[in-house]
Amino acid sequence: MNTTGTLTVISGFAGSGKGTLMKALMSDYDGYALSISATTRDKRPGEEEGRDYFFVTKEEFESMIEKDELLEYASYVSNYYGTPKKYVFDKLKEGKNVILEIETQGALKVKEKYPDTLLMFVMPPSVDEIYNRLKKRGTESEEVIMKRMRRACEEAKVIDKYDYLVINDVVEDCVKRMHDTISSAKYLASRNADRIQTVKDQFKEFLKEEK
Ligand code: 5GP
């Protein structure tokens, strides 16, 4: 059976609650590795270098692009965000299920490069709820919140390109559904071409004497 981990991309509007879901998935289940992105945006209160993001300058980010160190990157609300490649591949090889929590442009780029990637989109209960959550977070100005709302509206246009929807109702139920889906992905026939070929070869060998 396929022994490498599953690469899963989780996207969702700012304020959809995907951060909470990710934390719960990591703490409730084993075998996951959460990729830490690099970003040029300012650190928010409570965020830590190397835990939430690698906070870098625009020049540092552009040098990572030049050295081909990023799996994907995108510009989001006037800042760069990108996924360092090495960590992702190392963890997949170890058999871990790697989660990228990234926005839609990056998600679609990853799927194009690596078609086995699972794309999951977290849906909030309502649009009003998104606005209220961003407001309650209290870390951004009204102008930035409205930029994020407009960006969310743009992101809604590509949800149908995702493989799965995660309706964020009850956190534990949601996380269990996500875990079940991710764990099943290694049994996809498309990821087990070697095993299928082995069975075909064994049949050929087994039935040889019949001729
Ligand atoms: P925030 O500034 O709220 O932390 O993140 C803004 C958006 O950037 C979120 O939708 C988040 O998922 C996305 N994001 C975070 N890291 C990456 C990354 O490495 N690549 C891409 N394409 N998007 C990212």
Side-chain angles (χ1 to χ4, degrees), residues 129-143:
E129 180 74 19
I130 301 176
Y131 178 78
N132 291 338
R133 285 192 204 182
L134 288 176
K135 198 86 186 152
K136 219 162 85 189
R137 193 150 79 182
T139 49
E140 276 128 7
S141 64
E142 182 66 20
E143 194 195 333

Side-chain angles (χ1 to χ4, degrees), residues 10-15 18 35-39 41-42 44 47 52-53 61 70 72-77 79-84 100-107 109 134 137 140 148 151 155:
I10 315 271
S11 305
F13 310 125
K18 62 183 186 304
S35 158
I36 316 274
S37 299
T39 183
R41 85 147 159 74
D42 291 338
R44 292 191 194 123
E47 285 184 330
D52 299 286
Y53 281 106
F61 198 98
L70 300 173
E72 63 71 42
Y73 67 93
S75 162
Y76 176 97
V77 189
N79 279 301
Y80 277 135
Y81 293 80
T83 308
L100 311 184
E101 190 200 316
I102 66 178
E103 54 62 72
T104 52
Q105 297 171 63
K109 279 188 228 160
L134 288 176
R137 193 150 79 182
E140 276 128 7
R148 283 175 179 256
R151 176 60 189 243
E155 292 197 316

Side-chain angles (χ1 to χ4, degrees), residues 142-183:
E142 182 66 20
E143 194 195 333
V144 172
I145 290 175
M146 287 315 291
K147 264 192 177 179
R148 283 175 179 256
M149 291 301 286
R150 277 191 288 276
R151 176 60 189 243
C153 177
E154 282 304 306
E155 292 197 316
K157 292 179 186 162
V158 298
I159 301 176
D160 54 2
K161 295 201 166 56
Y162 277 64
D163 300 310
Y164 293 96
L165 286 184
V166 179
I167 312 292
N168 189 4
D169 40 26
V170 179
V171 172
E172 289 73 29
D173 297 351
C174 245
V175 168
K176 182 172 184 323
R177 287 199 297 273
M178 289 168 83
H179 173 67
D180 290 346
T181 306
I182 295 167
S183 326

Side-chain angles (χ1 to χ4, degrees), residues 184-203:
S184 308
K186 68 174 178 200
Y187 301 109
L188 284 167
S190 59
R191 284 188 49 194
N192 289 280
D194 290 359
R195 194 174 177 83
I196 296 168
Q197 190 55 49
T198 305
V199 167
K200 286 181 184 169
D201 292 346
Q202 285 172 350
F203 266 122

Side-chain angles (χ1 to χ4, degrees), residues 10-130:
I10 315 271
S11 305
F13 310 125
S16 63
K18 62 183 186 304
T20 310
L21 293 180
M22 289 309 91
K23 274 193 203 116
L25 183 67
M26 296 299 134
S27 68
D28 295 358
Y29 297 93
D30 292 331
Y32 286 94
L34 183 62
S35 158
I36 316 274
S37 299
T39 183
T40 58
R41 85 147 159 74
D42 291 338
K43 204 192 275 180
R44 292 191 194 123
E47 285 184 330
E48 257 179 47
E49 166 71 19
R51 185 195 67 189
D52 299 286
Y53 281 106
F54 297 108
F55 295 95
V56 298
T57 62
K58 192 162 171 275
E59 290 68 33
E60 284 166 335
F61 198 98
E62 283 166 352
S63 147
M64 292 171 90
I65 299 174
E66 255 167 50
K67 291 191 206 140
D68 195 28
E69 288 173 3
L70 300 173
L71 187 68
E72 63 71 42
Y73 67 93
S75 162
Y76 176 97
V77 189
S78 318
N79 279 301
Y80 277 135
Y81 293 80
T83 308
K85 227 184 230 178
K86 188 175 179 314
Y87 177 86
V88 173
F89 289 130
D90 286 353
K91 292 293 165 187
L92 285 175
K93 264 189 231 137
E94 280 174 27
K96 299 264 192 238
N97 293 322
V98 178
I99 307 286
L100 311 184
E101 190 200 316
I102 66 178
E103 54 62 72
T104 52
Q105 297 171 63
L108 299 178
K109 279 188 228 160
V110 175
K111 182 80 174 177
E112 207 179 295
K113 275 201 212 161
Y114 307 99
D116 285 341
T117 308
L118 291 188
L119 296 189
M120 295 186 156
F121 197 93
V122 180
M123 301 279 281
S126 72
V127 169
D128 282 347
E129 180 74 19
I130 301 176

